[in-house]
Amino acid sequence: DIDDVGHKYYLELELEDVLDKDSTVNCTAEVLYHLGNKNIAPDVQFTLEGEPKNTDEADNIFYNRIKNLEKELVAENIPDSHGNVPPEMEPIRLLAWVASGYVIWQNSTENTKLQLAQIKHVKQVKRSDEYLEFDYMILLHDTVSQEIIPWQMTVLWHPQHGVQVTQDSRQPKHASG
Amino acid sequence: DQVFHIVPETFQQVQHLQHLCSTLLLDLWKPQLPEDIRTGEDLHIRVPAPLVQKMKDSLDHHMISYKVLIPDLQKLVDQSMPKERRSHRQVPEGYIYTQYHPMEEIYQWMTQIQKNNSELVTQHHLGKTIENREMYYLQISQPSDKTKKIIWMDCGIHAREWISPAFCQWFVKEILQNYKSDPKISRFLQNLDLYVLPVLNIDGYIYSWEKDRLWRKNRSPHMNGTCYGTDLNRNFNSSWGTVGVSYNCSSETFCGSGPESEPETRAVAQFIERKKSDILCYLTIHSYGQYILTPYGSTTKPPSNSEELMHVAEKAAAALMGKHGTSYKVGSTSLILYSNSGSSRDWAHMIGIPFSYTFELRDNGTHGFVLPVDQIQPTCEETM
């Protein structure tokens, strides 16, 4: 408890690579939830002990595949009702996961527990520069309220420059179609 | 089975064909009725396999020319089914427990399970859903002269938690396949009866297959049909409507218009109330989160047998972890998860059932409700 400021949490975490369970990195973090104002994202400071695995090769393969598509990528329901994700959509799903992490961070309080539930729709937006751009409609699940919250997010990615969420907005409940 | 194409040429032929239809009880595809058979018009009849030769002989004898339109109907049917579901639809011997099944198939499965295991299993009617569907539970009971205590387990109270009904089906299968050979299970059944409700929220489950995969509640209409669904796990008469609920139909945790306002809730509650003096343990299966939750959600005050409840739950979590290393958290709902009133688990304990638990199965949020099919087996194995 920090008087007049908020609640601070000190965390020791082990980060595990989703694609390689043996690859782990230790992490320490401090999270400060601000008192009162629900519109400010919690402050996060973190330190990684070591480095995550190098993924340049896989990144470049994915990057080139998308860059070379004749028509812009479009997809729905990832995963499908049975939890299946076509292998070529795995990177699209992982990208959404990372990007949704940002959205979740920006919208978390001590009373939320948000997870990415499903990608309803994703559409690639062609760009003239080197970045890849995807327009996602995702569904977030909040364990505390049990609500399913549709959210639109525009995601930029480049192998060397990483992920950016350039725009995101909460959607009305029936917007996901 | 074969489908024949015939164009009757004379009135006598028409009469004979009508006669064949009624005596052999043939399935007329075109026209709809025997009295509509006409000379010069196409006739399509399905002939069951054992009668095919008899049919051909009779047609030949009456000099009626025919063509076989479909020489193997079953093959055609199989080909038109999506690959994975094909030949395994009907029979539990071929029933794929590592797949999610729509309600139609679960109904059929229950019937087959009882049929194939009639010495142990009986199917019983529990009530009807708001959309008028039948609710059934399976009773697994070894014939004996002593009255046995009951363990009740229900699955699928929340529509989107597909792994839950999958587990109930798996559970039944495991018991029935192994009760003769597995000494633990066999001892179990000597002393206990198992009552399993594979899908409690049938309407919601169907809705999650057909319309909205992430639907949670039942399908009761409110506000003149502009809003649907009560959260059945907020609808029981356990401190109903006090905490962790919404009074607004548009919320996922809408507790309904009153305790037990929903037919599904009433069906379960009335049955359990009647049998409560014999029920030792109430289990309700959910996902996700990997928890074994003890009462209460509506208050942090511990239940009277809290120590024993925790002890048993901790042993269960340890056994579960022993299978695939999956870790489950154990504790009272209000302390480790969130507060909520009107849950079936709280209600069961409040009316006197000593052991009452909510299981939240895999996973931890990575896939959440949309757990991939390749996790059905490990999840069910460890939970078993």
Side-chain angles (χ1 to χ4, degrees):
Chain A
D1 268 6
I2 302 184
D3 281 347
D4 297 333
V5 179
H7 298 141
K8 199 173 208 186
Y9 295 82
Y10 296 86
L11 304 166
E12 282 171 25
L13 313 167
E14 186 184 65
L15 305 182
E16 182 187 85
D17 188 334
V18 165
L19 299 178
D20 178 6
K21 305 283 172 187
D22 296 326
S23 170
T24 61
V25 172
N26 285 332
C27 171
T28 53
E30 283 174 19
V31 178
L32 172 63
Y33 287 103
H34 294 276
L35 211 57
N37 197 332
K38 300 293 173 192
N39 290 326
I40 307 182
D43 285 348
V44 178
Q45 307 283 332
F46 71 94
T47 321
L48 290 184
E49 289 162 37
E51 273 187 23
K53 211 170 73 165
N54 183 294
T55 56
D56 288 350
E57 194 183 331
D59 286 349
N60 285 321
I61 291 174
F62 172 61
Y63 180 77
N64 288 318
R65 176 161 74 85
I66 302 295
K67 265 293 182 201
N68 291 322
L69 287 176
E70 272 182 30
K71 259 182 34 193
E72 286 81 44
L73 181 146
V74 172
E76 285 184 341
N77 288 335
I78 299 170
D80 67 15
S81 288
H82 297 251
N84 300 316
V85 178
E88 67 273 14
M89 285 298 153
E90 231 352 81
I92 298 286
R93 191 248 277 252
L94 293 171
L95 184 61
W97 218 343
V98 174
S100 68
Y102 170 81
V103 172
I104 290 170
W105 166 38
Q106 293 294 304
N107 292 278
S108 284
T109 69
E110 281 169 292
N111 294 314
T112 60
K113 190 170 191 263
L114 295 163
Q115 305 268 188
L116 175 64
Q118 195 184 32
I119 299 166
K120 249 348 233 178
H121 188 82
V122 58
K123 194 181 69 195
Q124 181 191 359
V125 178
K126 260 251 170 1
R127 287 178 73 94
S128 48
D129 63 16
E130 48 177 5
Y131 282 85
L132 297 183
E133 180 176 331
F134 297 95
D135 187 11
Y136 283 94
M137 179 65 79
I138 58 173
L139 297 175
L140 296 177
H141 171 238
D142 175 20
T143 308
V144 177
S145 66
Q146 289 296 337
E147 294 296 332
I148 302 290
I149 311 166
W151 212 287
Q152 179 273 333
M153 58 182 192
T154 306
V155 181
L156 251 47
W157 180 73
H158 184 277
Q160 271 86 59
H161 306 308
V163 182
Q164 247 186 295
V165 176
T166 54
Q167 191 211 328
D168 72 272
S169 64
R170 185 182 180 130
Q171 301 294 304
K173 212 171 168 187
H174 301 288
S176 58
Chain B
D1 292 6
Q2 295 190 344
V3 177
F4 284 62
H5 175 218
I6 301 163
V7 183
E9 288 160 12
T10 69
F11 185 61
Q12 270 167 328
Q13 288 189 351
V14 168
Q15 280 189 312
H16 180 67
L17 288 162
Q18 287 171 335
H19 173 78
L20 275 178
C21 279
S22 51
T23 46
L24 296 182
L25 296 175
L26 299 177
D27 177 13
L28 205 53
W29 283 16
K30 180 179 170 167
Q32 301 267 9
L33 299 168
E35 46 265 42
D36 294 329
I37 298 178
R38 307 253 183 280
T39 55
E41 282 181 12
D42 283 347
L43 181 65
H44 295 165
I45 315 181
R46 178 181 69 85
V47 181
L51 295 173
V52 163
Q53 196 49 55
K54 198 174 178 143
M55 176 76 168
K56 288 181 175 172
D57 291 344
S58 181
L59 292 174
D60 289 339
H61 184 74
H62 286 79
M63 310 232 276
I64 301 175
S65 56
Y66 61 90
K67 248 183 19 208
V68 176
L69 200 58
I70 301 174
D72 185 343
L73 189 56
Q74 189 57 52
K75 190 152 148 206
L76 209 61
V77 168
D78 288 346
Q79 276 165 14
S80 69
M81 284 289 168
K83 196 164 179 282
E84 316 80 59
R85 315 201 75 81
R86 257 184 257 157
S87 25
H88 307 289
R89 261 190 331 140
Q90 313 280 331
V91 186
E93 271 87 67
Y95 196 78
I96 306 184
Y97 291 90
T98 51
Q99 250 184 34
Y100 296 117
H101 291 271
M103 198 60 214
E104 261 320 293
E105 292 178 12
I106 299 178
Y107 276 127
Q108 285 164 9
W109 169 81
M110 276 196 274
T111 309
Q112 277 295 318
I113 281 286
Q114 181 186 256
K115 221 159 102 177
N116 295 347
N117 299 277
S118 51
E119 73 284 7
L120 217 54
V121 182
T122 42
Q123 182 179 342
H124 300 268
H125 189 252
L126 197 61
K128 278 202 201 215
T129 66
I130 190 78
E131 287 180 340
N132 236 359
R133 295 191 174 88
E134 311 294 347
M135 297 170 67
Y136 297 109
Y137 69 92
L138 295 172
Q139 179 182 343
I140 302 174
S141 184
Q142 200 150 50
S144 145
D145 45 5
K146 58 175 173 182
T147 33
K148 287 172 255 138
K149 289 292 182 186
I150 297 167
I151 297 189
W152 166 278
M153 180 167 72
D154 59 63
C155 292
I157 194 173
H158 288 139
R160 58 195 181 201
E161 299 166 11
W162 285 15
I163 187 64
S164 166
F167 174 69
C168 265
Q169 292 165 68
W170 180 284
F171 179 84
V172 169
K173 174 231 353 158
E174 276 298 301
I175 299 283
L176 296 176
Q177 266 178 10
N178 299 308
Y179 75 97
K180 288 189 187 138
S181 54
D182 184 327
K184 255 202 255 184
I185 299 181
S186 140
R187 224 187 85 191
F188 226 75
L189 290 180
Q190 277 163 30
N191 300 300
L192 294 161
D193 286 347
L194 302 170
Y195 287 42
V196 180
L197 172 56
V199 185
L200 198 159
N201 179 8
I202 295 172
D203 299 341
Y205 185 69
I206 292 174
Y207 193 77
S208 74
W209 269 78
E210 294 177 356
K211 293 272 164 36
D212 181 354
R213 176 63 177 82
L214 296 174
W215 188 259
R216 167 182 168 89
K217 305 181 288 179
N218 77 345
R219 291 294 300 165
S220 61
H222 298 272
M223 302 188 338
N224 269 329
T226 58
C227 178
Y228 283 82
T230 297
D231 183 343
L232 295 174
N233 205 34
R234 301 286 186 277
N235 190 239
F236 282 77
N237 195 11
S238 43
S239 309
W240 178 86
T242 53
V243 66
V245 296
S246 168
Y247 305 113
N248 197 322
C249 168
S250 52
S251 164
E252 297 280 23
T253 52
F254 174 53
C255 53
S257 51
E260 294 185 17
S261 58
E262 307 305 302
E264 296 92 344
T265 312
R266 278 198 305 276
V268 173
Q270 277 164 15
F271 178 80
I272 294 189
E273 178 74 50
R274 240 181 31 231
K275 299 277 208 174
K276 68 179 175 189
S277 49
D278 287 325
I279 301 179
L280 182 62
C281 178
Y282 173 83
L283 298 172
T284 179
I285 312 295
H286 293 239
S287 79
Y288 57 91
Q290 294 172 202
Y291 297 101
I292 300 178
L293 300 167
T294 61
Y296 296 107
S298 52
T299 167
T300 49
K301 188 179 113 182
S304 48
N305 60 338
S306 151
E307 260 177 49
E308 205 182 2
L309 275 170
M310 280 299 290
H311 180 66
V312 170
E314 269 156 11
K315 284 190 97 167
L320 196 154
M321 184 169 211
K323 190 78 187 176
H324 295 296
T326 310
S327 72
Y328 269 55
K329 292 185 274 300
V330 175
S332 134
T333 308
S334 52
L335 291 178
I336 70 170
L337 192 56
Y338 47 59
S339 293
N340 69 295
S341 59
S343 71
S344 65
R345 171 213 56 241
D346 280 4
W347 176 80
H349 193 272
M350 285 177 181
I351 62 165
I353 294 169
F355 293 94
S356 185
Y357 296 101
T358 303
F359 272 70
E360 294 275 358
L361 301 181
R362 287 194 195 183
D363 60 13
N364 256 326
T366 308
H367 299 92
F369 300 118
V370 197
L371 195 67
V373 294
D374 62 9
Q375 286 206 40
I376 296 179
Q377 180 159 343
T379 306
C380 290
E381 282 173 345
E382 67 196 8
T383 314
M384 196 78 203

Short mmCIF file of all heavy atoms in Angstrom, two decimals, chain B residues 240-266:
data_model
loop_
_atom_site.label_atom_id
_atom_site.label_comp_id
_atom_site.label_asym_id
_atom_site.label_seq_id
_atom_site.Cartn_x
_atom_site.Cartn_y
_atom_site.Cartn_z
N TRP B 240 -28.80 -16.09 -2.82
CA TRP B 240 -29.06 -15.63 -4.18
C TRP B 240 -29.04 -14.10 -4.30
O TRP B 240 -29.61 -13.39 -3.48
CB TRP B 240 -30.41 -16.16 -4.65
CG TRP B 240 -30.76 -15.69 -6.03
CD1 TRP B 240 -30.41 -16.26 -7.20
CD2 TRP B 240 -31.52 -14.52 -6.36
NE1 TRP B 240 -30.90 -15.53 -8.26
CE2 TRP B 240 -31.59 -14.46 -7.77
CE3 TRP B 240 -32.14 -13.52 -5.60
CZ2 TRP B 240 -32.24 -13.44 -8.45
CZ3 TRP B 240 -32.80 -12.51 -6.28
CH2 TRP B 240 -32.86 -12.47 -7.70
N GLY B 241 -28.41 -13.64 -5.35
CA GLY B 241 -28.48 -12.23 -5.70
C GLY B 241 -27.72 -11.27 -4.80
O GLY B 241 -27.97 -10.06 -4.84
N THR B 242 -26.79 -11.78 -4.01
CA THR B 242 -26.14 -10.87 -3.06
C THR B 242 -24.77 -10.36 -3.51
O THR B 242 -24.44 -9.20 -3.31
CB THR B 242 -25.97 -11.53 -1.67
OG1 THR B 242 -25.30 -12.80 -1.86
CG2 THR B 242 -27.30 -11.76 -1.02
N VAL B 243 -23.98 -11.21 -4.14
CA VAL B 243 -22.64 -10.75 -4.50
C VAL B 243 -22.14 -11.43 -5.78
O VAL B 243 -22.52 -12.55 -6.09
CB VAL B 243 -21.65 -11.04 -3.32
CG1 VAL B 243 -21.49 -12.55 -3.11
CG2 VAL B 243 -20.32 -10.37 -3.53
N GLY B 244 -21.37 -10.68 -6.55
CA GLY B 244 -20.79 -11.26 -7.76
C GLY B 244 -21.80 -11.56 -8.84
O GLY B 244 -21.62 -12.47 -9.65
N VAL B 245 -22.90 -10.81 -8.82
CA VAL B 245 -23.94 -11.04 -9.81
C VAL B 245 -24.36 -9.72 -10.43
O VAL B 245 -24.02 -8.64 -9.93
CB VAL B 245 -25.22 -11.68 -9.20
CG1 VAL B 245 -24.93 -13.05 -8.66
CG2 VAL B 245 -25.80 -10.77 -8.13
N SER B 246 -25.12 -9.83 -11.49
CA SER B 246 -25.73 -8.64 -12.07
C SER B 246 -27.23 -8.86 -12.12
O SER B 246 -27.70 -9.99 -12.29
CB SER B 246 -25.19 -8.41 -13.47
OG SER B 246 -25.96 -7.44 -14.13
N TYR B 247 -27.98 -7.78 -11.99
CA TYR B 247 -29.43 -7.88 -12.11
C TYR B 247 -29.86 -7.50 -13.51
O TYR B 247 -31.05 -7.38 -13.81
CB TYR B 247 -30.13 -6.96 -11.10
CG TYR B 247 -29.66 -7.24 -9.68
CD1 TYR B 247 -28.93 -6.30 -8.97
CD2 TYR B 247 -29.93 -8.47 -9.07
CE1 TYR B 247 -28.49 -6.55 -7.68
CE2 TYR B 247 -29.47 -8.73 -7.79
CZ TYR B 247 -28.76 -7.78 -7.10
OH TYR B 247 -28.31 -8.03 -5.82
N ASN B 248 -28.86 -7.34 -14.35
CA ASN B 248 -29.12 -6.92 -15.71
C ASN B 248 -28.97 -8.09 -16.66
O ASN B 248 -27.93 -8.75 -16.69
CB ASN B 248 -28.09 -5.83 -16.07
CG ASN B 248 -28.51 -5.05 -17.28
OD1 ASN B 248 -29.06 -5.61 -18.23
ND2 ASN B 248 -28.25 -3.76 -17.24
N CYS B 249 -30.01 -8.34 -17.44
CA CYS B 249 -29.97 -9.49 -18.34
C CYS B 249 -28.79 -9.47 -19.29
O CYS B 249 -28.29 -10.51 -19.68
CB CYS B 249 -31.28 -9.55 -19.14
SG CYS B 249 -31.20 -10.72 -20.49
N SER B 250 -28.32 -8.30 -19.66
CA SER B 250 -27.24 -8.26 -20.66
C SER B 250 -25.90 -8.69 -20.09
O SER B 250 -24.93 -8.85 -20.83
CB SER B 250 -27.14 -6.87 -21.27
OG SER B 250 -27.04 -5.92 -20.24
N SER B 251 -25.83 -8.91 -18.78
CA SER B 251 -24.56 -9.33 -18.18
C SER B 251 -24.40 -10.84 -18.20
O SER B 251 -25.38 -11.59 -18.13
CB SER B 251 -24.50 -8.83 -16.74
OG SER B 251 -23.50 -9.51 -16.04
N GLU B 252 -23.16 -11.27 -18.25
CA GLU B 252 -22.87 -12.71 -18.24
C GLU B 252 -23.16 -13.35 -16.90
O GLU B 252 -23.26 -14.57 -16.81
CB GLU B 252 -21.39 -12.95 -18.57
CG GLU B 252 -20.97 -12.49 -19.94
CD GLU B 252 -21.35 -13.47 -21.03
OE1 GLU B 252 -22.29 -14.28 -20.84
OE2 GLU B 252 -20.72 -13.43 -22.10
N THR B 253 -23.27 -12.54 -15.86
CA THR B 253 -23.54 -13.11 -14.54
C THR B 253 -24.93 -12.71 -14.03
O THR B 253 -25.15 -12.60 -12.83
CB THR B 253 -22.45 -12.69 -13.52
OG1 THR B 253 -22.32 -11.26 -13.56
CG2 THR B 253 -21.13 -13.33 -13.86
N PHE B 254 -25.83 -12.51 -14.97
CA PHE B 254 -27.21 -12.21 -14.59
C PHE B 254 -27.78 -13.37 -13.81
O PHE B 254 -27.78 -14.51 -14.25
CB PHE B 254 -28.03 -11.96 -15.86
CG PHE B 254 -29.50 -11.78 -15.62
CD1 PHE B 254 -29.98 -10.84 -14.70
CD2 PHE B 254 -30.43 -12.53 -16.33
CE1 PHE B 254 -31.34 -10.67 -14.50
CE2 PHE B 254 -31.80 -12.36 -16.14
CZ PHE B 254 -32.25 -11.43 -15.21
N CYS B 255 -28.28 -13.07 -12.60
CA CYS B 255 -28.68 -14.16 -11.71
C CYS B 255 -30.13 -14.61 -11.89
O CYS B 255 -30.61 -15.47 -11.15
CB CYS B 255 -28.43 -13.77 -10.25
SG CYS B 255 -29.19 -12.20 -9.77
N GLY B 256 -30.82 -14.02 -12.86
CA GLY B 256 -32.19 -14.45 -13.09
C GLY B 256 -33.17 -13.60 -12.30
O GLY B 256 -32.77 -12.72 -11.53
N SER B 257 -34.45 -13.87 -12.49
CA SER B 257 -35.47 -13.05 -11.85
C SER B 257 -35.72 -13.44 -10.40
O SER B 257 -36.41 -12.74 -9.67
CB SER B 257 -36.77 -13.12 -12.66
OG SER B 257 -37.09 -14.47 -12.88
N GLY B 258 -35.10 -14.53 -9.99
CA GLY B 258 -35.27 -14.97 -8.61
C GLY B 258 -34.53 -16.27 -8.43
O GLY B 258 -34.12 -16.87 -9.42
N PRO B 259 -34.32 -16.73 -7.18
CA PRO B 259 -33.62 -18.01 -7.01
C PRO B 259 -34.41 -19.13 -7.67
O PRO B 259 -35.62 -19.19 -7.55
CB PRO B 259 -33.57 -18.19 -5.49
CG PRO B 259 -34.51 -17.20 -4.92
CD PRO B 259 -34.73 -16.12 -5.91
N GLU B 260 -33.72 -19.98 -8.38
CA GLU B 260 -34.34 -21.11 -9.09
C GLU B 260 -35.39 -20.65 -10.09
O GLU B 260 -36.36 -21.36 -10.36
CB GLU B 260 -34.95 -22.12 -8.10
CG GLU B 260 -33.90 -22.80 -7.25
CD GLU B 260 -34.49 -23.88 -6.36
OE1 GLU B 260 -35.63 -24.32 -6.61
OE2 GLU B 260 -33.80 -24.27 -5.40
N SER B 261 -35.19 -19.47 -10.68
CA SER B 261 -36.15 -18.99 -11.67
C SER B 261 -36.08 -19.82 -12.95
O SER B 261 -37.00 -19.85 -13.75
CB SER B 261 -35.91 -17.52 -12.00
OG SER B 261 -34.59 -17.34 -12.49
N GLU B 262 -34.95 -20.49 -13.17
CA GLU B 262 -34.75 -21.20 -14.44
C GLU B 262 -35.13 -22.67 -14.31
O GLU B 262 -34.82 -23.32 -13.30
CB GLU B 262 -33.29 -21.09 -14.87
CG GLU B 262 -32.79 -19.67 -14.91
CD GLU B 262 -33.65 -18.76 -15.78
OE1 GLU B 262 -33.79 -19.07 -16.98
OE2 GLU B 262 -34.17 -17.76 -15.27
N PRO B 263 -35.80 -23.23 -15.35
CA PRO B 263 -36.22 -24.63 -15.28
C PRO B 263 -35.04 -25.59 -15.10
O PRO B 263 -35.17 -26.60 -14.41
CB PRO B 263 -36.92 -24.86 -16.61
CG PRO B 263 -36.53 -23.74 -17.49
CD PRO B 263 -36.20 -22.58 -16.61
N GLU B 264 -33.90 -25.23 -15.69
CA GLU B 264 -32.75 -26.12 -15.56
C GLU B 264 -32.28 -26.18 -14.11
O GLU B 264 -31.95 -27.24 -13.58
CB GLU B 264 -31.59 -25.62 -16.44
CG GLU B 264 -31.86 -25.64 -17.95
CD GLU B 264 -32.44 -24.33 -18.48
OE1 GLU B 264 -32.91 -23.51 -17.67
OE2 GLU B 264 -32.42 -24.13 -19.70
N THR B 265 -32.26 -25.02 -13.47
CA THR B 265 -31.87 -24.95 -12.05
C THR B 265 -32.84 -25.76 -11.20
O THR B 265 -32.44 -26.57 -10.36
CB THR B 265 -31.87 -23.50 -11.55
OG1 THR B 265 -31.18 -22.67 -12.48
CG2 THR B 265 -31.22 -23.39 -10.18
N ARG B 266 -34.12 -25.54 -11.45
CA ARG B 266 -35.14 -26.25 -10.67
C ARG B 266 -35.03 -27.75 -10.85
O ARG B 266 -35.15 -28.51 -9.91
CB ARG B 266 -36.55 -25.79 -11.09
CG ARG B 266 -36.99 -24.50 -10.45
CD ARG B 266 -38.49 -24.32 -10.54
NE ARG B 266 -39.01 -24.39 -11.89
CZ ARG B 266 -39.04 -23.37 -12.75
NH1 ARG B 266 -38.57 -22.20 -12.38
NH2 ARG B 266 -39.54 -23.52 -13.98
#
